[in-house]
Every structure is written in structure tokens, then in C-alpha cells.
Amino acid sequence: MYQFIIKITVLSMFLLLDGALGVIGYNYTGTEGTNLEKIHPALFLLILLAGLTFILPKTRNPIPAWLKGAYFGPLIAAVIATVVAVGYSRPATGDIAAVIVTFLAPPLLAYILQYSSERTLHFIAVFVPLFFVVNSVIGIIENLTGWRLFPYFVGGIDITFDNRPTAMLGHPLPNALLTGVALIMQVAQMVSQRIKLRSVLIAILYFAAMLSFGGRASAAATMLLLGLFLLSRTGVVGRVRQVYSRRAASILIIGIFGGPLLLATGVSDRLVERFQGANQSSETRYVAFMVPEYMTVQELWVGADAPKRTLIREILNTPWGIEVSPVAMTLAYGLPIAIMLIISTYYLLYRFASGGVPGASFMVLLVIGVSWTSLSIGGKTLLISQVMIILLATRQQYEAYINQRSHGE
């Protein structure tokens, strides 16, 4: 039963998001509904799982060194942030729900994953690429037809003026970022394992979907990091195994000649539109750095209340929020808490990437870089937990390949 609940929790983090929850009447993003509805259902499952660990049998598989204790520092940081948020609880700000969902979920997830069975880990390794294949197909169909699987909700408001696809993840930007992460995962596996026609087709599908979602920062950063990763594996910088060099060079050639053909199909039209109308969006990110000028010393320490935040957004003409996550976190929680949460969160991601498939660190760099260009972890999001699951799936697939190869030899 315990392993079944872990699987349901992982599924809910990808399949039960803003759009799907809104359709079933769970007021997750809006102002209506109970306070408990502002917490994602996965959180309740994580808390249940954490409690059940105390009655689990003592015999279980050894905890891998990369995972053991990874949750501890981020958990302490999240608890401190939650206590501060409760102590300075401000009506209509959503601070408590945001801290719990965004920052308390990841260390809880890391903690319960220590108790995962081999079958559960295999399930995660199979589910993640399957999800992104299906999600990418849906995103491309939405892009080409204008149809949407779920409504596009932001703050409980159905967004109709933005024609970008939302697929199952419910928002263009997380879709673009996480699909970019999945693309690097796929390419890294091809370099470190083998290049198959199926793998190439999946990578092309991910690339087309990422362009379809219209996330400028995600698309640019993904292509830059992919290029750097492939160049590093060709042996241009440092020495690598010849087989890796050949694979990386082959993928580079496919990308150089195949990329323009893919762009000509029209899947990047939404992205081109975003670049053409980038002035207002770029201005929003520029003015975000002016936020500290409007904060008092006390607010820099503990964050600003709801009326002050609204005033600052009106002055800066950013009605949908502060589009630079560290600044948004400083405004909400204060600078000390923001720094603590950012460091602990990035530390947790690097723990999940360390020692895994070559290229995992580039996945983390993508998340860190792109998260600074939007509200992202400055609001309520499961992004960090989702990236951890992707990194875990990548590691499991790589380890399975290594074991298979060693047994074959």
C-alpha cells in the first residue's frame, strides 16, 4: 500500500495541476474555496507517507549515498519559512500555501523516496518519458488547432488572450521549461547510452513541443545548454571516450541540419510571436529589479503585506506578479528567507543530479536560469518536485542501462 501511495503522489504532481483541478472544482489557484484547497493534493499524500515511515518494517533497501540525508537542510529551511509565513500571516497573499507547496514538498518527497522499492523506482522511470511524450503530442495539437485540453487558469481567472498551448501541465512556461529538461534528458541518454531511431524521434518531438509552448527563455536556454553539453562531450573541451564523441557529434549534425526544417513546419510560430512582442514582457522583468527601492528595511527582512505588494505592482505596472522569482520571494518573505530557500532548493536539485547520467547538471542549470526569468518558484508551484522526479527517472534509466551492459559483458 505504501508503494502504491508513492506512485499516486508522483502521478498527481504531473496529472493533477491547475487546469485539471479547476475542472473537477478544486479551487487551487483562485480566491474562492477553503484554505485546504489552496494546498495541492500531493502535499497531503506526502505528509501521510512521511507519517507512515515510522511504522514501516525496519528491513529495506540501503539508501543510496546521493539521496541519503538530502532532504534535511531543505526541510529545515522550508519549516523555518513556513513558521515565518504563519507568524506574519497576511490575508489574501497565499504566502503559507506557496511556501508549503513550493518548498516543503521537495524535501518531503526526497524523504519518502528513501523508502521506495525497486518496482516503484522502475515505475517512475517508465512514467516520466511516457508522460512527456503524451504531453508533447497534446501541446503540438493544441498549437496547431487552437483547441485546449484544459482551461488556462491564472489566479482563478480563465486566460483567453494568450493563445499558447497549456497541455497537461496547465501553463505555457512550466510546459516549456520541463519539456526542455526532458529534451536534455533524452539527448544525454543518447550520448551516454546509444542512439536509436526511437530516441531521435522522441527528442524531435520534445523539441517541437518546447517551441510550441512559446517560452522564450526556456527555448533559448535549452538550445544554449544543449549546445554546450554536446560540445563538451565531443571532446572539444577536455578528453572524453571516443564513442561519446561520435554520438555527440552525430546529434549536433542532426540538430544543425534538422532544426531549420522543423522550424519551417510552423511549430515555432507561437515562439516567434513572443519574440516579436517581447518589449512589454522584457520591460516587466526589468522593472522587477526596482522592487527593493519601494521596500522599507523591515519589509526587506520579513516581506511586505498585501496592500503594499498591490501598490508596488500598480506602480511598476505588473498586474500578474513580479516576473523575477528571487525578487518576488524577497517581496513575499524577506531577503534572509528568500536566500535560504533559494540555496537549499538548488542544493537539493544538485544532490539529485550528482553522480547520475552525464548531462544531469545541465538540466539543473536550465531550471535555475529559467526560474529567474518568471515568477516560477516565487509563487505556488510544484516545479522543483517535478524536476526532482525527472532527475530520479533519468538516473534510474541510466543505472538500468549500466547494469544491463555489465551483465551482458
Side-chain angles (χ1 to χ4, degrees):
M1 177 60 72
Y2 188 86
Q3 301 302 321
F4 176 75
I5 300 176
I6 293 179
K7 294 174 184 177
I8 294 299
T9 304
V10 171
L11 289 175
S12 71
M13 288 184 172
F14 287 89
L15 302 179
L16 278 181
L17 295 173
D18 302 9
L21 290 173
V23 167
I24 65 176
Y26 192 96
N27 293 297
Y28 179 60
T29 61
T31 56
E32 299 179 354
T34 65
N35 289 331
L36 288 179
E37 286 181 289
K38 308 310 170 192
I39 306 297
H40 193 275
L43 258 296
F44 301 114
L45 294 175
L46 286 172
I47 293 170
L48 172 63
L49 287 166
L52 290 176
T53 57
F54 294 100
I55 61 173
L56 287 177
K58 298 298 182 183
T59 56
R60 55 185 172 88
N61 295 331
I63 301 173
W66 66 268
L67 180 58
K68 188 173 185 179
Y71 68 90
F72 186 74
L75 180 62
I76 296 299
V79 168
I80 292 174
T82 302
V83 170
V84 172
V86 171
Y88 288 91
S89 180
R90 308 177 182 105
T93 60
D95 291 348
I96 299 173
V99 169
I100 292 174
V101 173
T102 306
F103 299 107
L104 189 59
L108 285 176
L109 176 64
Y111 174 72
I112 65 100
L113 285 175
Q114 296 179 126
Y115 298 87
S116 300
S117 66
E118 290 296 328
R119 292 182 63 181
T120 298
L121 294 174
H122 176 71
F123 169 82
I124 293 173
V126 172
F127 165 72
V128 167
L130 178 61
F131 169 82
F132 279 104
V133 166
V134 175
N135 192 67
S136 296
V137 170
I138 293 173
I140 292 172
I141 292 174
E142 288 182 340
N143 180 41
L144 297 177
T145 66
W147 165 82
R148 272 199 176 126
L149 178 64
F150 296 117
Y152 178 11
F153 289 117
V154 175
I157 300 173
D158 186 3
I159 302 298
T160 58
F161 58 82
D162 190 339
N163 59 3
R164 288 177 295 173
T166 53
M168 287 190 284
L169 293 174
H171 192 289
L173 298 185
N175 267 297
L177 174 55
L178 291 177
T179 305
V181 172
L183 175 58
I184 294 179
M185 171 188 72
Q186 188 66 31
V187 172
Q189 288 174 337
M190 287 193 290
V191 172
S192 60
Q193 299 171 30
R194 61 174 67 95
I195 299 178
K196 298 180 179 179
L197 177 60
R198 183 183 65 180
S199 301
V200 174
L201 293 177
I202 291 175
I204 293 173
L205 176 67
Y206 289 166
F207 183 62
M210 181 187 66
L211 297 178
S212 295
F213 290 123
R216 291 171 300 153
S218 295
T222 300
M223 287 187 280
L224 173 63
L225 288 171
L226 266 179
L228 292 175
F229 168 68
L230 290 172
L231 284 174
S232 69
R233 303 306 288 176
T234 59
V236 173
V237 180
R239 298 180 63 183
V240 298
R241 291 178 56 184
Q242 189 176 21
V243 65
Y244 295 157
S245 179
R246 288 200 303 265
R247 291 173 187 162
S250 299
I251 296 171
L252 266 176
I253 293 171
I254 293 172
I256 291 172
F257 288 98
L261 295 176
L262 188 61
L263 294 175
T265 63
V267 295
S268 62
D269 288 351
R270 298 283 188 268
L271 183 63
V272 172
E273 291 174 4
R274 296 295 295 179
F275 275 107
Q276 289 175 343
N279 290 340
Q280 183 177 357
S281 182
S282 300
E283 180 69 17
T284 300
R285 287 164 176 80
Y286 170 75
V287 299
F289 291 100
M290 299 172 62
V291 167
E293 298 179 14
Y294 297 93
M295 298 176 66
T296 65
V297 173
Q298 180 180 353
E299 289 168 346
L300 284 171
W301 277 95
V302 298
D305 58 21
K308 183 62 175 288
R309 294 190 212 180
T310 302
L311 176 62
I312 291 176
R313 288 199 301 268
E314 289 177 351
I315 293 173
L316 300 178
N317 193 26
T318 57
W320 298 107
I322 305 301
E323 295 295 328
V324 176
S325 59
V327 178
M329 292 169 65
T330 300
L331 183 61
Y333 315 122
L335 187 58
I337 294 293
I339 292 174
M340 180 177 63
L341 289 174
I342 290 171
I343 292 175
S344 63
T345 298
Y346 295 163
Y347 162 79
L348 185 57
L349 289 179
Y350 271 111
R351 282 293 296 268
F352 268 66
S354 63
V357 60
S361 59
F362 285 83
M363 297 160 67
V364 175
L365 284 174
L366 175 64
V367 175
I368 293 175
V370 175
S371 69
W372 279 57
T373 66
S374 65
L375 178 60
S376 184
I377 60 174
K380 185 170 62 175
T381 176
L382 286 168
L383 177 67
I384 301 302
S385 299
Q386 292 165 330
V387 174
M388 288 166 55
I389 293 171
I390 298 172
L391 289 168
L392 176 62
T394 308
R395 179 185 293 272
Q396 290 301 120
Q397 293 164 1
Y398 182 62
E399 290 179 353
Y401 167 76
I402 296 298
N403 292 334
Q404 183 182 27
R405 191 180 64 175
S406 62
H407 291 327
E409 295 174 350

